[in-house]
Amino acid sequence: MATAPAWGTGAILGYVTLQRLVELAIARRNTRRLLAEGGFEVGRRHYPAIVLLHGLWLATIWLTAFGQPLHLLPLALFALVQALRFWTLAAIGRRWTTRIIVVPGEHLVARGPYRFLSHPNYVVVACEIALLPAVFGLWATCVIFTVLNAAVLAIRISAENQGLREHAAPRERMQRSAIG
């Protein structure tokens, strides 16, 4: 297997890094708006661990991917996961944040991938954390961060489910839309 050209590695990692930075800006805007609408944050204590985990994951890949072979199957799967990411973000829309913000009485999203999964964004993140290092054959990075992410997500999903169970309205029946 040939070593990936530096520009190819840089393009893939640049895409993921830029995507995360844009998403952080969107998440901050959405968080401020949801809080202004009477929402509140749950699970705040574990949020720094998520930020640290994602930062270390991306930094580790940046530091170790250059000069590694490019594995096409994980790259193709990563591209498919990006489609699921965009579908998920389109479905949740202005409610999407990197924090858990609950707006009391608001109905849970029931369109797009939320028709099939309670937490499709976490499925996306779990796949990305495993697949991006695999694109470059960084198997140890793949395993270590997948295990760490699973531990953090177990805490996060529990906190999110509890907050939603206590304060959100049940899923609203919605007609299928073009995105969902």
Side-chain angles (χ1 to χ4, degrees), residues 30-171:
N30 288 346
T31 297
R32 282 192 301 269
R33 189 188 37 71
L34 290 167
L35 293 173
E37 293 174 359
F40 59 92
E41 184 175 0
V42 297
R44 179 180 301 175
R45 289 180 54 197
H46 72 266
Y47 186 73
I50 290 174
V51 172
L52 180 63
L53 174 77
H54 284 256
L56 287 174
W57 168 76
L58 197 52
T60 299
I61 299 169
W62 269 102
L63 292 171
T64 57
F66 287 90
Q68 298 299 318
L70 190 64
H71 297 264
L72 297 181
L73 179 59
L75 182 59
L77 292 173
F78 187 82
L80 286 174
V81 169
Q82 293 309 290
L84 180 57
R85 167 180 283 285
F86 297 131
W87 187 31
T88 299
L89 295 180
I92 199 165
R94 53 191 293 258
R95 295 185 194 185
W96 180 80
T97 73
T98 57
R99 297 179 177 271
I100 304 169
I101 307 297
V102 177
V103 179
E106 196 165 297
H107 287 279
L108 299 175
V109 173
R111 64 182 177 272
Y114 290 91
R115 290 182 307 202
F116 312 108
L117 299 168
S118 296
H119 301 286
N121 195 56
Y122 299 145
V123 172
V124 166
V125 170
C127 290
E128 288 173 333
I129 284 181
L131 287 170
L132 188 59
V135 167
F136 303 103
L138 303 172
W139 308 114
T141 301
C142 173
V143 171
I144 291 166
F145 283 96
T146 296
V147 169
L148 291 173
N149 185 58
V152 172
L153 278 183
I155 295 165
R156 183 172 180 86
I157 290 171
S158 176
E160 185 168 333
N161 285 342
Q162 181 178 347
L164 293 174
R165 203 172 26 254
E166 292 174 4
H167 301 285
R171 288 192 190 272

Side-chain angles (χ1 to χ4, degrees), residues 13-30:
L13 295 179
Y15 163 78
V16 173
T17 303
L18 181 61
Q19 179 187 60
R20 294 305 194 267
L21 292 173
V22 168
E23 288 177 355
L24 282 174
I26 293 168
R28 282 189 195 113
R29 183 189 69 215
N30 288 346

